[in-house]
Amino acid sequence: MNKKVRFFHSIHFKIALVFALLLLITFQIVGAIFVRQLKNDNLKSFKQRVELSTYVENSLIVALSRTDTEGANTKIKNILDDINNANIQEVQVIDAKGTIRGGDSDVNSRSLIGQKTTNSAVKGVLYTGRTYTETTYNRNDNKRYYISITPLLNVSSNNNAVVGAIYTRADMASVYDSVNNVVVIFASASLIAIVIGMVLAIIVSSSITKPIEEMKRQTARIARGDYSGHVHQYGNDELGQLAQAVNNLSIRVEETQELSESERRRLDSVLSHMSDGVIATDRRGGITIVNDMAMNYLDISEGEVLGKSILDILDIRNQYTLRDLLEKQDEVVLDISGEKDLILNAYFSVIQRESGFISGIVCVLHDVTEQQKIDRERKQFVSNVSHELRTPLTSMRSYIEALNDGAWRDEKVAPEFLKVTQDETDRMIRMINDLLSLSRMDSGTVKLDLELVNINGLVNYILDRFDMMLKKDKIDTRDIKTKNYTIKRNFTKRDLWVELDTDKFIQVVDNIMNNAIKYSPDGGVITCRLLETHNNVILSISDQGLGIPKKDLGHVFDRFFRVDKARSRAQGGTGLGLAISKEVIELHHGRIWVDSVEGKGSTFYISLPYEEYSEEDLWDEN
């Protein structure tokens, strides 16, 4: 905000004041020299006026040379009476012995005739024969006097003997009155000149400060971000060139500001749409820039992070210092634990100028949670495959070694050992086939053989197979111990036609039904429901088995995952059935999930997209 400048603080007043002071100093110097010279000239002229003529001096010398004292005094009196000089206030004639022989008409001076003089200056002149002059100030009458004591020399004698002296006192009022009058006139003229000079200085300073004021207003507008103003150029002098430079500066600043703003918007856009988090700091580690992804990763707001140390925000102060980040620039793994499971890789690089000065740090946060998860799953998968294959291989090796040691001769034991070996071989083949199926699904090479199927009839067909196996005292081909169960069906009355790969869908339902039978108690009820809702067909299969703990629900469809590993392995299976089921359903653009209460059973849901077909569409042959 611009404050209004007071007049006495303004450049107008300062220029006028400087000009007036310059005039005052000039007049003071000139006046002092002029008055001094005038005073000297007036004093010189005054001294010449008050000096007695040579005739008077010679006459006094002759009078003092007379031996007749009375006649000499009378002669001296007559000579002094003839002196007509208004400036001379007092005249005394003193002989060589220091006796006052005559004076002017002043009564006091006449009373001194015949007495010895007491004036030491007169005595000095009589003794040395040299003229003495001085200027004195009389405090009684407040006047200045010029005193001159001139020796009277008898030039007719061989040694120029001093015969006496003349004491003259003159009033200098006329001299100083003249000088004072001149000083008053000069001072008045100086004052008038200073006033006129100040007026002219203000006018001149206004012509100088007006473009400066315009330039000040323009620069203030530039500082506020307003570049629309323009400074008027009054001429081609320095101020005109400065005004042109300010106008050019305004244009350049506007262009630079627009470019900077454009780059800032571009940078903000890039930072906002980056999939990685970005944090920039100053050279002390205080955060200056943070994008939305970084705030989302760290679960903080911009107001909470700006100005804070990056070491505190990333919670790495105990492991690293700012110098470590500047010098080593290592990759740092951040485990963000809390409501969300998040693992970040933090990459650091310095912001360095061409001179080598480090002005800050840039930190890029990359989400490696999925990568870490995949890496863990891969390691776990390899471990599980190794373990699952090692178990049947170890079993087979044991039985084959026993046979090789002679058990093949035992007609009762040998067939059982061979049967176990064959079962373990079948188990490994099933596992390998399941792994190959999952591999093809992961690589995207599996193609579905879709056909329009009445899902009501297809599910009934699958369930009929399980009813038939129950009647034959055989549940499936995996040698599961005979168990009694009941299948309850609750289907919609409408026929629902869905595009399916029949074989793969049967494999999914078989997997779920086999699990329901395995984990259901003897005599349990398995409930199958089929209904239509919101353009989806939903098949649910519920059992009354052991249920799944809540902590394991999210891992049911993971590969090789078993809730109870020991019991599951004893009941057979590869641990890949539900993983394959999930992949198959997702290939059909559907969804599979499970709800379970531990100790009360589980319900698996399959949701498939459904579009109602008219009777003409069903019988239309392409």
PDB file of all heavy atoms in Angstrom, residues 522-534:
ATOM      1  N   ASP A 522     -21.849 -84.560   8.433  1.00  0.00           N
ATOM      2  CA  ASP A 522     -22.620 -85.659   7.870  1.00  0.00           C
ATOM      3  C   ASP A 522     -24.098 -85.402   8.113  1.00  0.00           C
ATOM      4  O   ASP A 522     -24.517 -85.116   9.233  1.00  0.00           O
ATOM      5  CB  ASP A 522     -22.168 -86.972   8.522  1.00  0.00           C
ATOM      6  CG  ASP A 522     -22.736 -88.179   7.792  1.00  0.00           C
ATOM      7  OD1 ASP A 522     -23.054 -88.031   6.595  1.00  0.00           O
ATOM      8  OD2 ASP A 522     -22.846 -89.243   8.412  1.00  0.00           O
ATOM      9  N   GLY A 523     -24.855 -85.457   7.016  1.00  0.00           N
ATOM     10  CA  GLY A 523     -26.280 -85.178   7.096  1.00  0.00           C
ATOM     11  C   GLY A 523     -26.612 -83.714   6.941  1.00  0.00           C
ATOM     12  O   GLY A 523     -27.770 -83.322   7.141  1.00  0.00           O
ATOM     13  N   GLY A 524     -25.641 -82.908   6.570  1.00  0.00           N
ATOM     14  CA  GLY A 524     -25.861 -81.472   6.423  1.00  0.00           C
ATOM     15  C   GLY A 524     -26.681 -81.142   5.186  1.00  0.00           C
ATOM     16  O   GLY A 524     -26.870 -81.962   4.270  1.00  0.00           O
ATOM     17  N   VAL A 525     -27.180 -79.907   5.134  1.00  0.00           N
ATOM     18  CA  VAL A 525     -27.996 -79.418   4.017  1.00  0.00           C
ATOM     19  C   VAL A 525     -27.194 -78.373   3.247  1.00  0.00           C
ATOM     20  O   VAL A 525     -26.668 -77.425   3.836  1.00  0.00           O
ATOM     21  CB  VAL A 525     -29.314 -78.808   4.516  1.00  0.00           C
ATOM     22  CG1 VAL A 525     -30.127 -78.257   3.327  1.00  0.00           C
ATOM     23  CG2 VAL A 525     -30.121 -79.840   5.286  1.00  0.00           C
ATOM     24  N   ILE A 526     -27.111 -78.533   1.936  1.00  0.00           N
ATOM     25  CA  ILE A 526     -26.455 -77.560   1.047  1.00  0.00           C
ATOM     26  C   ILE A 526     -27.557 -76.863   0.265  1.00  0.00           C
ATOM     27  O   ILE A 526     -28.329 -77.517  -0.451  1.00  0.00           O
ATOM     28  CB  ILE A 526     -25.467 -78.252   0.104  1.00  0.00           C
ATOM     29  CG1 ILE A 526     -24.369 -78.941   0.927  1.00  0.00           C
ATOM     30  CG2 ILE A 526     -24.853 -77.252  -0.858  1.00  0.00           C
ATOM     31  CD1 ILE A 526     -23.434 -79.796   0.095  1.00  0.00           C
ATOM     32  N   THR A 527     -27.666 -75.555   0.424  1.00  0.00           N
ATOM     33  CA  THR A 527     -28.760 -74.789  -0.195  1.00  0.00           C
ATOM     34  C   THR A 527     -28.225 -74.019  -1.402  1.00  0.00           C
ATOM     35  O   THR A 527     -27.264 -73.254  -1.282  1.00  0.00           O
ATOM     36  CB  THR A 527     -29.368 -73.806   0.816  1.00  0.00           C
ATOM     37  OG1 THR A 527     -29.805 -74.526   1.964  1.00  0.00           O
ATOM     38  CG2 THR A 527     -30.530 -73.051   0.191  1.00  0.00           C
ATOM     39  N   CYS A 528     -28.871 -74.221  -2.529  1.00  0.00           N
ATOM     40  CA  CYS A 528     -28.497 -73.518  -3.765  1.00  0.00           C
ATOM     41  C   CYS A 528     -29.650 -72.610  -4.162  1.00  0.00           C
ATOM     42  O   CYS A 528     -30.809 -73.059  -4.272  1.00  0.00           O
ATOM     43  CB  CYS A 528     -28.200 -74.521  -4.889  1.00  0.00           C
ATOM     44  SG  CYS A 528     -26.813 -75.604  -4.545  1.00  0.00           S
ATOM     45  N   ARG A 529     -29.321 -71.330  -4.403  1.00  0.00           N
ATOM     46  CA  ARG A 529     -30.335 -70.356  -4.791  1.00  0.00           C
ATOM     47  C   ARG A 529     -29.929 -69.726  -6.115  1.00  0.00           C
ATOM     48  O   ARG A 529     -28.750 -69.461  -6.353  1.00  0.00           O
ATOM     49  CB  ARG A 529     -30.479 -69.267  -3.727  1.00  0.00           C
ATOM     50  CG  ARG A 529     -30.970 -69.770  -2.395  1.00  0.00           C
ATOM     51  CD  ARG A 529     -31.102 -68.607  -1.409  1.00  0.00           C
ATOM     52  NE  ARG A 529     -31.587 -69.026  -0.105  1.00  0.00           N
ATOM     53  CZ  ARG A 529     -30.821 -69.496   0.866  1.00  0.00           C
ATOM     54  NH1 ARG A 529     -29.492 -69.582   0.671  1.00  0.00           N
ATOM     55  NH2 ARG A 529     -31.345 -69.864   2.022  1.00  0.00           N
ATOM     56  N   LEU A 530     -30.915 -69.431  -6.957  1.00  0.00           N
ATOM     57  CA  LEU A 530     -30.674 -68.777  -8.248  1.00  0.00           C
ATOM     58  C   LEU A 530     -31.740 -67.712  -8.434  1.00  0.00           C
ATOM     59  O   LEU A 530     -32.936 -68.017  -8.383  1.00  0.00           O
ATOM     60  CB  LEU A 530     -30.741 -69.798  -9.390  1.00  0.00           C
ATOM     61  CG  LEU A 530     -30.440 -69.267 -10.786  1.00  0.00           C
ATOM     62  CD1 LEU A 530     -28.987 -68.799 -10.867  1.00  0.00           C
ATOM     63  CD2 LEU A 530     -30.697 -70.343 -11.851  1.00  0.00           C
ATOM     64  N   LEU A 531     -31.330 -66.479  -8.599  1.00  0.00           N
ATOM     65  CA  LEU A 531     -32.290 -65.385  -8.738  1.00  0.00           C
ATOM     66  C   LEU A 531     -31.723 -64.323  -9.687  1.00  0.00           C
ATOM     67  O   LEU A 531     -30.539 -64.326 -10.041  1.00  0.00           O
ATOM     68  CB  LEU A 531     -32.623 -64.787  -7.368  1.00  0.00           C
ATOM     69  CG  LEU A 531     -31.441 -64.277  -6.514  1.00  0.00           C
ATOM     70  CD1 LEU A 531     -31.187 -62.813  -6.770  1.00  0.00           C
ATOM     71  CD2 LEU A 531     -31.755 -64.524  -5.032  1.00  0.00           C
ATOM     72  N   GLU A 532     -32.591 -63.430 -10.079  1.00  0.00           N
ATOM     73  CA  GLU A 532     -32.243 -62.350 -11.025  1.00  0.00           C
ATOM     74  C   GLU A 532     -32.414 -61.010 -10.304  1.00  0.00           C
ATOM     75  O   GLU A 532     -33.418 -60.793  -9.622  1.00  0.00           O
ATOM     76  CB  GLU A 532     -33.159 -62.417 -12.245  1.00  0.00           C
ATOM     77  CG  GLU A 532     -33.066 -61.183 -13.138  1.00  0.00           C
ATOM     78  CD  GLU A 532     -34.314 -61.011 -14.014  1.00  0.00           C
ATOM     79  OE1 GLU A 532     -35.220 -61.856 -13.942  1.00  0.00           O
ATOM     80  OE2 GLU A 532     -34.356 -60.015 -14.745  1.00  0.00           O
ATOM     81  N   THR A 533     -31.436 -60.106 -10.470  1.00  0.00           N
ATOM     82  CA  THR A 533     -31.532 -58.776  -9.858  1.00  0.00           C
ATOM     83  C   THR A 533     -30.616 -57.799 -10.579  1.00  0.00           C
ATOM     84  O   THR A 533     -29.439 -58.094 -10.803  1.00  0.00           O
ATOM     85  CB  THR A 533     -31.159 -58.820  -8.365  1.00  0.00           C
ATOM     86  OG1 THR A 533     -31.141 -57.495  -7.847  1.00  0.00           O
ATOM     87  CG2 THR A 533     -29.794 -59.439  -8.145  1.00  0.00           C
ATOM     88  N   HIS A 534     -31.195 -56.656 -10.953  1.00  0.00           N
ATOM     89  CA  HIS A 534     -30.422 -55.547 -11.526  1.00  0.00           C
ATOM     90  C   HIS A 534     -29.501 -55.996 -12.667  1.00  0.00           C
ATOM     91  O   HIS A 534     -28.294 -55.804 -12.626  1.00  0.00           O
ATOM     92  CB  HIS A 534     -29.578 -54.855 -10.450  1.00  0.00           C
ATOM     93  CG  HIS A 534     -30.386 -54.300  -9.330  1.00  0.00           C
ATOM     94  ND1 HIS A 534     -31.359 -53.340  -9.521  1.00  0.00           N
ATOM     95  CD2 HIS A 534     -30.379 -54.591  -7.998  1.00  0.00           C
ATOM     96  CE1 HIS A 534     -31.913 -53.046  -8.361  1.00  0.00           C
ATOM     97  NE2 HIS A 534     -31.353 -53.798  -7.431  1.00  0.00           N
TER      98      HIS A 534
END
